Amino acid sequence: PTQVDRMIESVYGTGYYQTIRYQLVNRDDKVGLEITAVDKPWGPNIAEFGFTLSNDFKGDSDYQLKADVTFQNVNDAGGELRNRLRLGGETGIHSEFYQPFGLGARFFASGQLGYSAEDFPLFQGTEQVADYRVYRGEALAGIGMYLSNNLAVGTGLVYGHDWVRRHIGAVD
């Protein structure tokens, strides 16, 4: 592939465009490159919703309500804001800001904030002896680079705090 092909593939790999076409053109005795990009008709913002209900037919059931909303192109440089809400067995709210940069958006920076709470049963053999709720708050900042359209490497810093509360079970 030529350098133009690789750049077009990189831009197409961002997921913003339905098609990208290019051709050589002659105008006023000069040769140039004409690029036509067609935005996806279903964007740029995306919302996904879901509901899960489970039952083991032994008296235990659980539910999960989820919503994911992504706001694309929140700035002129192609930044994205991704938000996730979960209610049920796993409860939490997470928000991530993703910012591509550099030629062909080859590099990126991101920041995340999140809070979650999840139940963890404690068993002794086959008998459940306690039920704990684990809470987590965390913040993340990172940078990275795309090696191809399907592979990225990155590094970052994470700060988090976990705490546990017993819901069911004997006092130790």
Side-chain angles (χ1 to χ4, degrees):
T2 66
Q3 184 177 359
V4 172
D5 289 327
R6 286 191 296 273
M7 290 177 68
I8 295 292
E9 287 175 7
S10 177
V11 172
Y12 183 75
T14 64
Y16 298 135
Y17 302 102
Q18 185 173 357
T19 59
I20 301 176
R21 293 191 177 105
Y22 67 94
Q23 64 181 1
L24 291 174
V25 293
N26 290 308
R27 290 192 186 135
D28 301 324
D29 295 327
K30 293 181 182 176
V31 177
L33 186 65
E34 180 179 78
I35 300 173
T36 305
V38 177
D39 288 333
K40 288 183 176 179
W42 54 85
N45 301 326
I46 300 168
E48 298 178 60
F49 301 95
F51 179 74
T52 306
L53 183 61
S54 63
N55 191 318
D56 66 0
F57 299 104
K58 296 178 184 175
D60 290 326
S61 62
D62 196 8
Y63 73 93
Q64 188 71 47
L65 183 64
K66 54 188 176 179
D68 294 342
V69 179
T70 301
F71 299 99
Q72 297 179 349
N73 296 320
V74 296
N75 59 27
D76 291 338
E80 289 183 6
L81 182 61
R82 303 170 185 163
N83 300 290
R84 182 175 67 216
L85 175 67
R86 301 287 188 262
L87 298 172
E90 177 191 347
T91 300
I93 185 165
H94 296 269
S95 190
E96 174 187 7
F97 180 72
Y98 167 84
Q99 182 63 64
F101 62 91
L103 183 62
R106 186 171 178 198
F107 302 95
F108 62 89
S110 68
Q112 298 179 32
L113 292 174
Y115 169 82
S116 63
E118 188 172 355
D119 291 329
F120 283 95
L122 179 64
F123 288 88
Q124 186 173 14
T126 59
E127 181 182 346
Q128 183 176 349
V129 295
D131 191 36
Y132 290 88
R133 187 86 169 159
V134 178
Y135 301 88
R136 168 172 283 189
E138 73 181 9
L140 177 144
I143 58 171
M145 176 179 81
Y146 286 97
L147 300 177
S148 71
N149 285 345
N150 300 320
L151 179 64
V153 295
T155 187
L157 298 172
V158 177
Y159 174 79
H161 181 74
D162 295 340
W163 60 101
V164 178
R165 184 175 296 163
R166 185 181 55 252
H167 280 278
I168 301 171
V171 176
D172 295 336

